Amino acid sequence: MDAAYQVDGKTVAHDEEGYLTDIGQWNEAVAGIIAEAEGLPMTAERWEVVNFLREYYQEYQIAPAVRVLTKAIGKKLGPEKASNKYLYELFPYGPAKQACKIAGLPKPTGCV
Amino acid sequence: MSAIAAILLVLATAMLAAGLAYRLALWLAAPVPLSIPTMPAPLTRGGAAMRVGREMLLFHSLFRADKPLWAASMAFHLGLALVLLRHLRYVVAVPPAWLVAIQPVGRLAGWMMMAGLLFLLARRLLVPRVRMVTRTGDVAVLVLLLAIGTSGLVTTYLLHTDILAVKAFLTSIWRAAPEGLPPDPTFLLHLLLAILLLAIVPFSKLLHAPGLVFSPTRNQPDGSRRYRRPARWARTLAGGGQ
Amino acid sequence: MSAFEPPPLADEVELAAPPALVPGAMAHSRPYVAAPAHNQALGFPGERVPDWERRAVEKLGELLERSRALRVFLDSCVKCGACADKCHFFIGTGDPNNMPVARQDLLRALYRRHFTVAGRMLGRHVGARDMDEALLQEWYTYFHQCTQCRRCSVFCPFGIDTAEISMAAREIMDAIGLGQKYSNEIIGKVHKIGNNLGLPEPALANTLEGLEEDVLEQSGAAVKFPLDVHGADVLLVTPSADFFAEPHVDGLIGYAKVFHQAGISWTLSSHASEAANFALFIGSYEQMHKIAQRIRQAAIDLGVKRIVFGECGHAWRVAYAFLNTLAGPWDFLDPAYPVPQHIVEVTHELIRRGGIVLDRDTNAGKTVTFHDSCNVARASRMGDAPGGQFVLPREVIKAAVPSFVDMHPDTTHDRTFCCGGGGGLLTDDLLELRIKGARPRMQALKEVVEQQGVTHMAAICAICKTQFAKVLPAYGFPMEMVVSLHQLVGQAIRLG
Ligand code: SF4
Ligand code: SF4
């Protein structure tokens, strides 16, 4: 069931839903490949989100709550972008899940 | 002949009693470890008993679910109840006045029961989703009941049986030599099938009758914030609160 | 965007018409299987045990001795079909195995075969089957197409509750090493970290601080979101989605404003930072008990007087109907209040006696309808009288918004349709099923949107909120249509 991404001749294992099994294997090239698999080109805005997720994860071992994320993006990209709606435009499958996947983080579980 | 019929009848009754007793013992031995009434539920035991009563006499949930099915089911069960009541006169020595009075109603009930059964059978065979969950056994029970009903109606209206002889037989089955049964084939068939029905109750879906009374979703009151109900098997779990 | 595009909703609401049968329509829909580590963390075998057929029968025997309901339900079904067209998954998929009676029969087959005289003698003529790979695969497929919503049990003449049957089947599957990833992984996280999300204490504290800033900024009031405050009156136990997702978090802000304005001291607990109890979904009393113990422990440690639950459907079922048995007695709490209480009960009472004041105009332009969550509607209560679970939320909404409309009566109160995501099915690998299962609710919503101008649908369950946020767009509605009940309260409440 489990499979792998091919990045620069290396294989990076992921689970059945495409989340990395070992977050230590993440790098920017991996992010690009995952994003491609999701059908999303990595724009500067998407990188902002992905980078923030990784920073937050470093500190708290969990992805930030959606509100924390919108606030942070608002600060970086301007207050008009501080909305759930904007994040959904960037990551149509839901910022929490799709952006986490690209950032190499585990999938948020539970009723979210 | 009479002796065989008597033995079968006694045997079937014994199977019914023992089978039911065993089944109920199994049910009662198992606890209901949590409060699971389908809500909203009455707050008191009395209220819950009323709820079960409403299900038993009025088929309240079925009424909410499916009106034609409710009507057919009511016709069959009510018809059966009245027919059975009417049959009392074959076993009591001197029928009381009310029993004599309901005889015409009982005859009508026979037809009502048959109509209900025919609808149930037709529905079972014709409605695709019902047919899908039907097994041979489900049809067999309906056919058995229809056969009992038909043979009963035939003896009532066409080929009259010697009622007094039947009565003499039924009141004498406990003796070593029971009195003679009338040798009418329709009547004998009726009796034989009824005996069969009695015998299979505890082993078939006919258990739904006691099931209704013991169903925790219907007979539990809503009181879980007031009462605890830890089952014996659950008391060994670690942690507080047991 | 979504993996599955549903056919458009009908113009006319035809709630009564049962669908045409499409055998095997959902045979392909199965959730991911749990990894060995997920199973082992809960004490289940990691992988399929060697003699699993025998073990399954043995486990069924154990469950029969532990639950009268299971016995009575397996013995009493007459195959009348009254339940058949009542399940949202049957209505939405047409797959005959999604008729509640057919779903039950998958377990009943094994029961008949091994525990009844008729089944041993007559075999398949009375629906008996042996345990084999084919039957097990049908179990895994179709017992994960039941949200355990109990709608079927409302209509069954014997009250047979398919939810109990599917819980038992999942328990048997866990016992032979075939667990479902979504539920088992999450239960493991509750044990390890304290909540379904896996939100550690520092992250929780950080998130709550952020909320205090937000509310101060927006309303000017210093509303607190206390965490682990010893000696608070109220312990609030709420689904972790309330910390994380939209629109859930707006509900949490609503609860905080209510406590703030009413002057009730309250706290969250990092030990019991989760109201949900997914052990219900896998039918495990032991796991459910263990999860419930966290709440007792938190209440003791923090020295609170009351326990209040946030908006979560199945959590309220476990809280209302089971908590007293699982983790009581609560003799160390204030006897003046029922244990536990629902946040809607608290808010309702405050509105009634003027402890808080709501201003409907702040929600101007909203016409709101209410989705009765299955577990709240059919497995619990609020307030003092039967049916309070229908009355209280509606009264609170009516106090908060200018216009309220109910959906079709065949789809509300105890006849409500499940959102399609409950019972451990709120996972991406079941998205097609979730969209199809939401259809009856979406159909009823469409009616009130078109005929009565409904703009929002309020919910009181984390699963419902997430599920609707996901499936509303598939049916052409905006995602923002679903709101938390306390989001409306939080908007309308007069602070200061
Ligand atoms: S409990 Fe709900 S989902 Fe399960 S069979 Fe019954 S109606 Fe369907
Ligand atoms: S309504 Fe009850 S008795 Fe009838 S088929 Fe369904 S589960 Fe069986």
Short mmCIF file of all heavy atoms in Angstrom, two decimals, chain B residues 23 27 30-31 36-37 39 64-65 123-124 136-137 205 215 217-218 222 224-225 228-229 233 238 240-242, chain C residues 66 68 75-76 78-80 86 111 125 150 153 156 158-159 289 293 320-321 324-326 328 340 345 378 381 414:
data_model
loop_
_atom_site.label_atom_id
_atom_site.label_comp_id
_atom_site.label_asym_id
_atom_site.label_seq_id
_atom_site.Cartn_x
_atom_site.Cartn_y
_atom_site.Cartn_z
N ARG B 23 -34.02 -19.33 26.20
CA ARG B 23 -33.69 -18.08 25.48
C ARG B 23 -33.75 -16.90 26.46
O ARG B 23 -32.85 -16.08 26.53
CB ARG B 23 -34.69 -17.93 24.34
CG ARG B 23 -34.42 -16.92 23.27
CD ARG B 23 -33.06 -16.92 22.61
NE ARG B 23 -32.50 -18.18 22.25
CZ ARG B 23 -31.26 -18.30 21.73
NH1 ARG B 23 -30.50 -17.24 21.53
NH2 ARG B 23 -30.79 -19.48 21.43
N TRP B 27 -30.88 -14.24 27.70
CA TRP B 27 -31.04 -12.78 27.64
C TRP B 27 -30.81 -12.15 29.01
O TRP B 27 -30.11 -11.16 29.14
CB TRP B 27 -32.44 -12.41 27.13
CG TRP B 27 -32.64 -12.66 25.67
CD1 TRP B 27 -31.72 -13.14 24.78
CD2 TRP B 27 -33.84 -12.46 24.92
NE1 TRP B 27 -32.27 -13.25 23.54
CE2 TRP B 27 -33.56 -12.84 23.58
CE3 TRP B 27 -35.11 -12.00 25.25
CZ2 TRP B 27 -34.53 -12.76 22.58
CZ3 TRP B 27 -36.07 -11.92 24.26
CH2 TRP B 27 -35.79 -12.30 22.93
N ALA B 30 -27.25 -11.88 30.45
CA ALA B 30 -26.37 -10.83 29.92
C ALA B 30 -26.82 -9.48 30.46
O ALA B 30 -28.01 -9.17 30.44
CB ALA B 30 -26.42 -10.83 28.40
N PRO B 31 -25.89 -8.67 30.96
CA PRO B 31 -26.27 -7.37 31.50
C PRO B 31 -26.45 -6.35 30.38
O PRO B 31 -26.10 -6.61 29.24
CB PRO B 31 -25.06 -6.99 32.36
CG PRO B 31 -23.91 -7.66 31.68
CD PRO B 31 -24.45 -8.92 31.05
N ILE B 36 -28.83 2.87 27.00
CA ILE B 36 -28.94 3.05 25.55
C ILE B 36 -30.38 3.22 25.04
O ILE B 36 -30.69 2.80 23.92
CB ILE B 36 -28.28 1.88 24.80
CG1 ILE B 36 -28.88 0.53 25.20
CG2 ILE B 36 -26.78 1.87 25.00
CD1 ILE B 36 -28.48 -0.61 24.27
N PRO B 37 -31.30 3.82 25.82
CA PRO B 37 -32.64 3.99 25.24
C PRO B 37 -32.57 4.89 24.00
O PRO B 37 -31.74 5.80 23.95
CB PRO B 37 -33.43 4.68 26.35
CG PRO B 37 -32.41 5.37 27.19
CD PRO B 37 -31.18 4.50 27.12
N MET B 39 -33.61 7.90 22.27
CA MET B 39 -34.17 9.12 22.84
C MET B 39 -35.06 9.83 21.83
O MET B 39 -34.86 9.67 20.65
CB MET B 39 -33.03 10.05 23.25
CG MET B 39 -32.09 9.41 24.24
SD MET B 39 -32.86 9.24 25.85
CE MET B 39 -31.54 9.88 26.85
N ARG B 64 -44.78 4.94 12.65
CA ARG B 64 -43.99 6.07 12.17
C ARG B 64 -43.18 5.68 10.93
O ARG B 64 -42.83 6.54 10.12
CB ARG B 64 -43.02 6.54 13.26
CG ARG B 64 -43.69 7.10 14.49
CD ARG B 64 -42.65 7.53 15.51
NE ARG B 64 -42.05 8.82 15.18
CZ ARG B 64 -40.93 9.28 15.73
NH1 ARG B 64 -40.27 8.54 16.60
NH2 ARG B 64 -40.46 10.45 15.40
N ALA B 65 -42.86 4.40 10.83
CA ALA B 65 -41.94 3.97 9.77
C ALA B 65 -42.64 3.75 8.44
O ALA B 65 -42.15 4.14 7.39
CB ALA B 65 -41.22 2.69 10.20
N ARG B 123 -45.72 -8.39 -0.23
CA ARG B 123 -44.72 -7.35 -0.04
C ARG B 123 -43.32 -7.98 -0.01
O ARG B 123 -42.38 -7.48 -0.62
CB ARG B 123 -45.02 -6.64 1.29
CG ARG B 123 -44.10 -5.51 1.63
CD ARG B 123 -44.58 -4.83 2.91
NE ARG B 123 -43.61 -3.84 3.36
CZ ARG B 123 -42.53 -4.15 4.04
NH1 ARG B 123 -42.27 -5.40 4.33
NH2 ARG B 123 -41.67 -3.20 4.39
N ARG B 124 -43.22 -9.06 0.69
CA ARG B 124 -41.93 -9.74 0.80
C ARG B 124 -41.40 -10.19 -0.55
O ARG B 124 -40.21 -10.16 -0.81
CB ARG B 124 -42.06 -10.93 1.76
CG ARG B 124 -40.76 -11.56 2.15
CD ARG B 124 -40.85 -12.43 3.39
NE ARG B 124 -40.93 -11.74 4.66
CZ ARG B 124 -40.00 -10.96 5.16
NH1 ARG B 124 -38.89 -10.74 4.50
NH2 ARG B 124 -40.16 -10.37 6.32
N THR B 136 -35.22 -18.17 2.85
CA THR B 136 -36.26 -19.19 2.78
C THR B 136 -37.10 -19.22 4.05
O THR B 136 -38.32 -19.33 4.01
CB THR B 136 -35.62 -20.59 2.59
OG1 THR B 136 -34.48 -20.43 1.75
CG2 THR B 136 -36.60 -21.55 2.00
N GLY B 137 -36.40 -19.12 5.19
CA GLY B 137 -37.08 -19.20 6.47
C GLY B 137 -38.16 -18.14 6.64
O GLY B 137 -39.20 -18.39 7.26
N LYS B 205 -37.53 -16.44 14.11
CA LYS B 205 -37.70 -15.02 14.30
C LYS B 205 -38.98 -14.69 15.08
O LYS B 205 -39.24 -13.54 15.40
CB LYS B 205 -37.70 -14.32 12.95
CG LYS B 205 -38.85 -14.68 12.06
CD LYS B 205 -38.75 -13.83 10.81
CE LYS B 205 -39.94 -13.99 9.91
NZ LYS B 205 -39.85 -13.11 8.74
N SER B 215 -36.08 -5.41 24.73
CA SER B 215 -35.21 -4.53 23.95
C SER B 215 -34.78 -3.31 24.78
O SER B 215 -35.61 -2.49 25.15
CB SER B 215 -35.96 -4.07 22.69
OG SER B 215 -35.18 -3.16 21.98
N THR B 217 -33.32 -0.58 24.07
CA THR B 217 -33.55 0.76 23.51
C THR B 217 -34.97 1.23 23.78
O THR B 217 -35.27 2.40 23.66
CB THR B 217 -33.32 0.76 21.99
OG1 THR B 217 -34.07 -0.31 21.42
CG2 THR B 217 -31.86 0.60 21.66
N ARG B 218 -35.86 0.28 24.11
CA ARG B 218 -37.24 0.65 24.35
C ARG B 218 -37.62 0.58 25.84
O ARG B 218 -38.46 1.33 26.29
CB ARG B 218 -38.18 -0.27 23.57
CG ARG B 218 -38.11 -0.11 22.07
CD ARG B 218 -38.68 1.22 21.60
NE ARG B 218 -38.69 1.31 20.14
CZ ARG B 218 -37.75 1.92 19.43
NH1 ARG B 218 -36.74 2.51 20.03
NH2 ARG B 218 -37.82 1.97 18.12
N ASP B 222 -34.80 7.06 30.77
CA ASP B 222 -33.71 8.01 30.57
C ASP B 222 -33.33 8.58 31.93
O ASP B 222 -33.98 9.48 32.43
CB ASP B 222 -34.21 9.10 29.60
CG ASP B 222 -33.37 10.37 29.65
OD1 ASP B 222 -32.29 10.36 30.27
OD2 ASP B 222 -33.82 11.37 29.06
N SER B 224 -29.64 8.50 33.03
CA SER B 224 -28.22 8.17 33.17
C SER B 224 -27.43 9.20 33.96
O SER B 224 -26.36 8.89 34.47
CB SER B 224 -27.59 7.98 31.79
OG SER B 224 -27.91 9.06 30.96
N ARG B 225 -27.93 10.43 34.10
CA ARG B 225 -27.19 11.37 34.93
C ARG B 225 -27.51 11.15 36.42
O ARG B 225 -26.83 11.68 37.28
CB ARG B 225 -27.50 12.82 34.53
CG ARG B 225 -26.79 13.23 33.24
CD ARG B 225 -26.73 14.73 33.05
NE ARG B 225 -27.98 15.32 32.61
CZ ARG B 225 -28.09 16.54 32.07
NH1 ARG B 225 -27.01 17.30 31.93
NH2 ARG B 225 -29.26 17.01 31.69
N ARG B 228 -26.11 5.10 38.13
CA ARG B 228 -25.00 4.38 37.52
C ARG B 228 -25.44 2.95 37.29
O ARG B 228 -26.31 2.45 37.98
CB ARG B 228 -23.76 4.43 38.43
CG ARG B 228 -23.40 5.85 38.84
CD ARG B 228 -22.13 5.88 39.66
NE ARG B 228 -21.03 5.40 38.86
CZ ARG B 228 -20.24 4.38 39.21
NH1 ARG B 228 -20.43 3.77 40.36
NH2 ARG B 228 -19.27 4.00 38.43
N ARG B 229 -24.83 2.30 36.31
CA ARG B 229 -25.20 0.91 36.07
C ARG B 229 -23.99 0.07 35.66
O ARG B 229 -24.00 -0.59 34.62
CB ARG B 229 -26.31 0.81 35.03
CG ARG B 229 -26.06 1.60 33.75
CD ARG B 229 -27.18 1.45 32.74
NE ARG B 229 -27.66 0.12 32.63
CZ ARG B 229 -28.95 -0.21 32.75
NH1 ARG B 229 -29.85 0.70 32.98
NH2 ARG B 229 -29.33 -1.46 32.63
N TRP B 233 -19.07 -7.49 34.94
CA TRP B 233 -17.82 -7.75 34.22
C TRP B 233 -16.98 -6.49 34.07
O TRP B 233 -15.78 -6.56 33.82
CB TRP B 233 -18.07 -8.39 32.86
CG TRP B 233 -18.91 -7.60 31.89
CD1 TRP B 233 -20.22 -7.79 31.62
CD2 TRP B 233 -18.50 -6.51 31.07
NE1 TRP B 233 -20.67 -6.89 30.69
CE2 TRP B 233 -19.62 -6.09 30.33
CE3 TRP B 233 -17.29 -5.83 30.87
CZ2 TRP B 233 -19.59 -5.03 29.43
CZ3 TRP B 233 -17.25 -4.77 29.97
CH2 TRP B 233 -18.39 -4.38 29.27
N ALA B 238 -9.39 -1.09 35.68
CA ALA B 238 -8.58 -0.22 36.53
C ALA B 238 -9.10 1.21 36.49
O ALA B 238 -9.82 1.60 35.58
CB ALA B 238 -7.14 -0.25 36.04
N GLY B 240 -10.57 4.88 38.70
CA GLY B 240 -11.65 5.22 39.61
C GLY B 240 -12.99 4.97 38.98
O GLY B 240 -13.09 4.62 37.82
N GLY B 241 -14.00 5.15 39.79
CA GLY B 241 -15.34 5.18 39.24
C GLY B 241 -15.97 3.82 39.02
O GLY B 241 -16.98 3.73 38.36
N GLN B 242 -15.39 2.73 39.57
CA GLN B 242 -16.08 1.46 39.37
C GLN B 242 -16.56 0.87 40.68
O GLN B 242 -16.48 1.44 41.71
CB GLN B 242 -15.18 0.47 38.64
CG GLN B 242 -14.92 0.88 37.22
CD GLN B 242 -16.18 1.04 36.39
OE1 GLN B 242 -17.15 0.34 36.55
NE2 GLN B 242 -16.18 2.01 35.50
N ARG C 66 -21.66 -10.29 27.29
CA ARG C 66 -21.52 -8.97 27.92
C ARG C 66 -22.67 -8.03 27.61
O ARG C 66 -22.79 -6.99 28.27
CB ARG C 66 -20.21 -8.32 27.44
CG ARG C 66 -19.00 -8.95 28.07
CD ARG C 66 -17.73 -8.52 27.40
NE ARG C 66 -17.53 -7.09 27.42
CZ ARG C 66 -16.34 -6.50 27.52
NH1 ARG C 66 -15.26 -7.21 27.62
NH2 ARG C 66 -16.24 -5.20 27.53
N ARG C 68 -26.81 -7.71 26.68
CA ARG C 68 -28.15 -8.22 26.39
C ARG C 68 -28.68 -7.63 25.09
O ARG C 68 -29.34 -8.30 24.31
CB ARG C 68 -29.11 -7.89 27.53
CG ARG C 68 -30.51 -8.45 27.30
CD ARG C 68 -31.46 -8.06 28.42
NE ARG C 68 -30.91 -8.42 29.72
CZ ARG C 68 -31.32 -7.88 30.87
NH1 ARG C 68 -32.30 -6.99 30.87
NH2 ARG C 68 -30.78 -8.23 32.01
N ASP C 75 -31.49 -11.79 17.87
CA ASP C 75 -32.56 -12.78 17.86
C ASP C 75 -33.89 -12.25 17.30
O ASP C 75 -34.70 -13.03 16.83
CB ASP C 75 -32.83 -13.27 19.30
CG ASP C 75 -31.84 -14.33 19.75
OD1 ASP C 75 -31.32 -15.05 18.87
OD2 ASP C 75 -31.58 -14.44 20.96
N SER C 76 -34.12 -10.95 17.39
CA SER C 76 -35.50 -10.47 17.23
C SER C 76 -35.89 -9.93 15.86
O SER C 76 -37.06 -9.67 15.63
CB SER C 76 -35.79 -9.36 18.25
OG SER C 76 -35.54 -9.84 19.55
N VAL C 78 -37.32 -9.40 12.35
CA VAL C 78 -38.24 -10.17 11.53
C VAL C 78 -38.09 -9.89 10.04
O VAL C 78 -38.89 -10.32 9.24
CB VAL C 78 -39.71 -9.92 11.94
CG1 VAL C 78 -39.97 -10.42 13.34
CG2 VAL C 78 -40.07 -8.45 11.82
N LYS C 79 -37.06 -9.12 9.69
CA LYS C 79 -36.82 -8.79 8.27
C LYS C 79 -38.03 -8.08 7.65
O LYS C 79 -38.41 -8.35 6.53
CB LYS C 79 -36.50 -10.05 7.44
CG LYS C 79 -35.47 -10.95 8.03
CD LYS C 79 -34.14 -10.23 8.17
CE LYS C 79 -33.26 -10.91 9.19
NZ LYS C 79 -32.61 -12.09 8.71
N CYS C 80 -38.64 -7.19 8.45
CA CYS C 80 -39.81 -6.50 7.93
C CYS C 80 -39.41 -5.40 6.97
O CYS C 80 -40.20 -4.94 6.16
CB CYS C 80 -40.63 -5.92 9.08
SG CYS C 80 -39.82 -4.54 9.92
N LYS C 86 -34.47 3.92 5.83
CA LYS C 86 -34.31 5.01 6.78
C LYS C 86 -32.85 5.46 6.93
O LYS C 86 -32.56 6.46 7.56
CB LYS C 86 -34.83 4.59 8.17
CG LYS C 86 -36.27 4.11 8.16
CD LYS C 86 -37.22 5.18 7.63
CE LYS C 86 -38.67 4.78 7.76
NZ LYS C 86 -39.07 3.72 6.83
N TYR C 111 -23.59 -15.19 13.77
CA TYR C 111 -24.33 -15.53 15.00
C TYR C 111 -25.22 -16.75 14.76
O TYR C 111 -25.21 -17.72 15.52
CB TYR C 111 -25.15 -14.32 15.44
CG TYR C 111 -26.11 -14.63 16.57
CD1 TYR C 111 -25.65 -14.82 17.85
CD2 TYR C 111 -27.48 -14.73 16.32
CE1 TYR C 111 -26.53 -15.11 18.89
CE2 TYR C 111 -28.37 -15.00 17.35
CZ TYR C 111 -27.89 -15.21 18.63
OH TYR C 111 -28.75 -15.49 19.65
N HIS C 125 -30.43 -21.13 4.56
CA HIS C 125 -31.87 -20.90 4.44
C HIS C 125 -32.38 -19.96 5.52
O HIS C 125 -33.42 -19.35 5.40
CB HIS C 125 -32.63 -22.23 4.50
CG HIS C 125 -32.27 -23.13 3.37
ND1 HIS C 125 -32.55 -22.80 2.07
CD2 HIS C 125 -31.61 -24.32 3.33
CE1 HIS C 125 -32.10 -23.76 1.27
NE2 HIS C 125 -31.51 -24.68 2.01
N ARG C 150 -28.21 5.71 14.70
CA ARG C 150 -29.40 5.20 15.37
C ARG C 150 -30.71 5.59 14.70
O ARG C 150 -31.78 5.43 15.30
CB ARG C 150 -29.47 5.63 16.85
CG ARG C 150 -28.19 5.49 17.61
CD ARG C 150 -28.41 5.78 19.08
NE ARG C 150 -28.70 4.56 19.80
CZ ARG C 150 -29.30 4.53 20.99
NH1 ARG C 150 -29.70 5.64 21.57
NH2 ARG C 150 -29.53 3.40 21.61
N SER C 153 -32.96 2.65 14.46
CA SER C 153 -33.56 2.13 15.70
C SER C 153 -34.82 2.89 16.08
O SER C 153 -35.65 2.38 16.82
CB SER C 153 -32.54 2.19 16.85
OG SER C 153 -32.58 3.43 17.50
N CYS C 156 -37.49 0.92 13.88
CA CYS C 156 -37.63 -0.53 14.02
C CYS C 156 -38.69 -0.83 15.08
O CYS C 156 -38.64 -0.29 16.18
CB CYS C 156 -36.31 -1.17 14.42
SG CYS C 156 -36.49 -2.92 14.85
N PHE C 158 -38.88 -3.12 17.01
CA PHE C 158 -38.29 -3.69 18.23
C PHE C 158 -37.12 -2.86 18.74
O PHE C 158 -36.39 -3.30 19.62
CB PHE C 158 -37.86 -5.13 17.97
CG PHE C 158 -38.89 -5.88 17.21
CD1 PHE C 158 -38.70 -6.18 15.87
CD2 PHE C 158 -40.10 -6.17 17.80
CE1 PHE C 158 -39.71 -6.79 15.14
CE2 PHE C 158 -41.11 -6.79 17.08
CZ PHE C 158 -40.91 -7.10 15.74
N GLY C 159 -36.96 -1.70 18.16
CA GLY C 159 -35.89 -0.82 18.61
C GLY C 159 -34.50 -1.37 18.32
O GLY C 159 -33.53 -0.99 18.99
N HIS C 289 -13.78 3.52 28.66
CA HIS C 289 -13.59 3.71 30.09
C HIS C 289 -12.28 4.44 30.37
O HIS C 289 -12.22 5.39 31.13
CB HIS C 289 -13.60 2.32 30.76
CG HIS C 289 -13.30 2.32 32.22
ND1 HIS C 289 -12.06 2.02 32.72
CD2 HIS C 289 -14.07 2.61 33.28
CE1 HIS C 289 -12.07 2.12 34.03
NE2 HIS C 289 -13.29 2.48 34.41
N GLN C 293 -11.77 8.14 32.03
CA GLN C 293 -11.05 8.34 33.30
C GLN C 293 -10.24 9.63 33.30
O GLN C 293 -9.99 10.22 34.35
CB GLN C 293 -10.11 7.15 33.57
CG GLN C 293 -10.82 5.87 33.94
CD GLN C 293 -11.63 6.02 35.21
OE1 GLN C 293 -11.22 6.67 36.17
NE2 GLN C 293 -12.82 5.45 35.22
N TYR C 320 -23.39 12.24 28.51
CA TYR C 320 -24.72 12.23 29.11
C TYR C 320 -25.12 10.82 29.54
O TYR C 320 -25.59 10.60 30.66
CB TYR C 320 -25.77 12.77 28.12
CG TYR C 320 -27.16 12.69 28.70
CD1 TYR C 320 -27.64 13.72 29.49
CD2 TYR C 320 -27.95 11.57 28.52
CE1 TYR C 320 -28.90 13.63 30.08
CE2 TYR C 320 -29.21 11.46 29.10
CZ TYR C 320 -29.67 12.50 29.88
OH TYR C 320 -30.90 12.41 30.46
N ALA C 321 -24.93 9.87 28.64
CA ALA C 321 -25.51 8.55 28.88
C ALA C 321 -24.55 7.59 29.58
O ALA C 321 -24.99 6.66 30.25
CB ALA C 321 -25.98 7.94 27.55
N ASN C 324 -21.42 8.78 33.86
CA ASN C 324 -21.72 8.46 35.25
C ASN C 324 -21.34 7.01 35.57
O ASN C 324 -20.77 6.72 36.61
CB ASN C 324 -23.22 8.70 35.49
CG ASN C 324 -23.56 8.83 36.95
OD1 ASN C 324 -22.68 8.91 37.80
ND2 ASN C 324 -24.84 8.86 37.25
N THR C 325 -21.64 6.13 34.62
CA THR C 325 -21.29 4.73 34.81
C THR C 325 -19.79 4.50 34.60
O THR C 325 -19.16 3.78 35.37
CB THR C 325 -22.08 3.85 33.81
OG1 THR C 325 -23.47 3.96 34.13
CG2 THR C 325 -21.66 2.40 33.89
N LEU C 326 -19.22 5.13 33.58
CA LEU C 326 -17.82 4.88 33.25
C LEU C 326 -16.85 5.50 34.26
O LEU C 326 -15.81 4.94 34.55
CB LEU C 326 -17.49 5.45 31.86
CG LEU C 326 -18.11 4.77 30.65
CD1 LEU C 326 -17.80 5.58 29.40
CD2 LEU C 326 -17.59 3.35 30.48
N GLY C 328 -18.07 7.78 37.10
CA GLY C 328 -18.66 8.29 38.32
C GLY C 328 -18.27 7.44 39.51
O GLY C 328 -17.40 6.57 39.37
N PRO C 340 -22.66 15.27 33.65
CA PRO C 340 -22.13 16.56 33.24
C PRO C 340 -23.24 17.44 32.68
O PRO C 340 -24.37 16.99 32.50
CB PRO C 340 -21.15 16.17 32.15
CG PRO C 340 -21.78 14.96 31.52
CD PRO C 340 -22.54 14.25 32.59
N GLU C 345 -27.03 23.87 27.75
CA GLU C 345 -27.84 23.96 28.97
C GLU C 345 -27.44 25.18 29.79
O GLU C 345 -28.28 25.90 30.35
CB GLU C 345 -27.68 22.69 29.82
CG GLU C 345 -28.25 21.44 29.17
CD GLU C 345 -28.07 20.19 30.04
OE1 GLU C 345 -26.94 19.92 30.49
OE2 GLU C 345 -29.06 19.48 30.26
N ARG C 378 -30.74 11.39 19.35
CA ARG C 378 -31.26 10.05 19.58
C ARG C 378 -30.57 9.29 20.70
O ARG C 378 -30.89 8.13 20.96
CB ARG C 378 -31.18 9.23 18.28
CG ARG C 378 -32.15 9.69 17.22
CD ARG C 378 -32.17 8.76 16.03
NE ARG C 378 -31.06 8.97 15.14
CZ ARG C 378 -31.11 9.70 14.03
NH1 ARG C 378 -32.24 10.28 13.68
NH2 ARG C 378 -30.05 9.85 13.27
N ARG C 381 -29.88 13.79 26.06
CA ARG C 381 -30.92 14.78 26.36
C ARG C 381 -30.23 16.05 26.82
O ARG C 381 -29.06 16.04 27.20
CB ARG C 381 -31.85 14.25 27.46
CG ARG C 381 -32.83 15.26 28.01
CD ARG C 381 -33.98 14.59 28.75
NE ARG C 381 -33.55 13.80 29.88
CZ ARG C 381 -33.51 14.25 31.15
NH1 ARG C 381 -33.85 15.48 31.44
NH2 ARG C 381 -33.12 13.45 32.12
N ASP C 414 -35.93 13.56 16.44
CA ASP C 414 -35.36 12.21 16.44
C ASP C 414 -35.36 11.59 15.05
O ASP C 414 -34.79 10.51 14.86
CB ASP C 414 -36.05 11.30 17.47
CG ASP C 414 -37.52 11.08 17.17
OD1 ASP C 414 -38.10 11.90 16.42
OD2 ASP C 414 -38.08 10.10 17.68
#
